[in-house]
């Protein structure tokens, strides 16, 4: 599975959009970009995933560049409850396991 | 939304003792996993389980570890003789299929403390 690079930490004001970047320059054609998050001491939680096209669900939007070498997770209106570590993971669609990196620690502040 | 449930939430044991961590995956799911997270470190894959057998395991998952699905609902992780370094949060996860658009559902974890 391709390696990903994320900033260690980010801050965001409550109510503003949080834009979390991820670099995955070695991604291959059949690999998907997945995002999970882990709120303090809880189990990881799935957010969204995509292959080529931008995706949106009730939690977030995922923007993938045309060359697929990077992506951005967007939380449109961050709340305090979005404070968590966000993991960008690249893997094939039938991968049997997730490999977590260190992620981005997002702190949402008043 | 359906949930993966784990019991107990906290487990304290003496070094050398056996522990069993219990999980109830989502009822129609077919693939089951254990992950662990040592305090301050990454979430690490331990083992995946499908059709009553291990499908993949990591180097961490040595002979001291075993998994079992003793009935139609429970999925357990046993550590035969615990060591201090087994102290971690253990997460169970499940998914319905290994295809695109499937997501892993994680439980809230069992905090294991080995003294």
């Amino acid at each position: 599975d391709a390696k990903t690079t994320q900033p260690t930490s980010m801050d965001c004001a409550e109510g503003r959009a949080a834009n979390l970047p991820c670099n995955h320059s070695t991604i291959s054609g059949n690999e998907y970009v997945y995002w999970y998050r882990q709120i303090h001491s809880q189990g990881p939680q799935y957010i969204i995933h995509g292959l080529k096209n931008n995706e949106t669900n009730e939690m977030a939007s995922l923007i993938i560049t045309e060359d697929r070498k990077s992506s951005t997770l967007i939380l449109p209106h961050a709340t305090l409850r979005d404070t968590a570590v966000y993991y960008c993971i690249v893997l094939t669609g039938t991968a049997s396991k997730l490999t977590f990196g260190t992620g981005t620690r997002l702190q949402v502040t008043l | 939304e359906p949930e993966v449930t784990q019991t107990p939430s906290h487990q304290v044991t003496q070094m050398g003792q056996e522990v069993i961590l219990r999980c109830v995956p989502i009822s129609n799911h077919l693939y089951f996993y254990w992950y662990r997270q040592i305090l301050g470190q990454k979430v690490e894959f331990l083992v995946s389980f499908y059709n009553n057998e291990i499908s993949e395991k990591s180097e961490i998952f040595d002979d001291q570890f075993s998994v079992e699905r003793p009935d139609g609902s429970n999925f357990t992780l046993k550590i035969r003789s615990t060591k201090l370094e087994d102290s971690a949060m253990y997460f169970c996860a499940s998914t319905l299929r290994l295809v695109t658009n499937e997501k892993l559902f994680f439980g809230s974890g069992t905090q294991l403390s080995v003294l």
Side-chain angles (χ1 to χ4, degrees):
Chain A
D1 296 330
K3 182 180 168 62
T4 62
T5 304
Q6 299 178 251
T8 303
S9 64
M10 294 182 65
D11 291 333
C12 179
E14 190 177 33
R16 305 296 291 268
N19 297 285
L20 291 90
C22 179
N23 284 321
H24 32 79
S25 58
T26 60
I27 194 170
S28 62
N30 65 341
E31 289 182 314
Y32 287 73
V33 180
Y34 283 77
W35 284 83
Y36 282 75
R37 73 180 182 183
Q38 186 177 24
I39 296 170
H40 180 64
S41 296
Q42 296 181 23
Q45 177 190 25
Y46 167 86
I47 302 173
I48 200 167
H49 78 282
L51 180 64
K52 296 180 186 177
N53 299 322
N54 299 336
E55 302 287 344
T56 295
N57 63 20
E58 66 280 2
M59 290 183 71
S61 295
L62 175 60
I63 308 298
I64 302 174
T65 58
E66 196 169 334
D67 63 7
R68 302 186 69 239
K69 293 186 177 182
S70 65
S71 60
T72 301
L73 177 74
I74 301 172
L75 308 178
H77 304 287
T79 71
L80 296 178
R81 290 188 296 180
D82 292 320
T83 293
V85 179
Y86 288 77
Y87 300 100
C88 170
I89 301 171
V90 173
L91 71 169
T92 63
T94 57
S96 63
K97 66 182 184 186
L98 299 175
T99 300
F100 290 86
T102 52
T104 295
R105 183 171 298 277
L106 175 68
Q107 179 69 53
V108 181
T109 56
L110 290 170
Chain B
E1 190 171 63
E3 288 184 340
V4 174
T5 57
Q6 291 187 243
T7 55
S9 57
H10 292 84
Q11 173 99 42
V12 180
T13 189
Q14 295 291 325
M15 189 170 54
Q17 295 296 305
E18 174 184 287
V19 294
I20 297 176
L21 309 183
R22 303 181 191 279
C23 169
V24 178
I26 294 171
S27 62
N28 63 337
H29 283 188
L30 300 176
Y31 295 83
F32 313 111
Y33 306 82
W34 284 100
Y35 287 76
R36 80 172 187 187
Q37 186 174 31
I38 295 171
L39 184 64
Q41 298 187 22
K42 300 177 187 178
V43 178
E44 302 173 288
F45 168 79
L46 291 179
V47 66
S48 59
F49 190 86
Y50 168 69
N51 200 25
N52 278 323
E53 59 183 33
I54 291 173
S55 35
E56 190 172 357
K57 60 184 181 180
S58 71
E59 291 180 354
I60 303 168
F61 195 88
D62 62 20
D63 291 344
Q64 292 299 313
F65 292 87
S66 63
V67 289
E68 190 178 32
R69 188 155 163 80
D71 52 43
S73 59
N74 291 287
F75 179 51
T76 62
L77 174 69
K78 181 193 289 186
I79 309 175
R80 288 190 185 80
S81 178
T82 51
K83 305 171 191 165
L84 295 176
E85 54 264 36
D86 294 327
S87 294
M89 180 75 90
Y90 288 81
F91 297 108
C92 173
S94 70
T95 190
L96 177 59
R97 297 168 293 191
L98 283 185
V99 296
T100 59
N101 299 320
E102 290 299 329
K103 52 191 178 185
L104 237 56
F105 290 82
F106 285 81
S108 55
T110 293
Q111 179 64 57
L112 176 65
S113 298
V114 182
L115 305 179

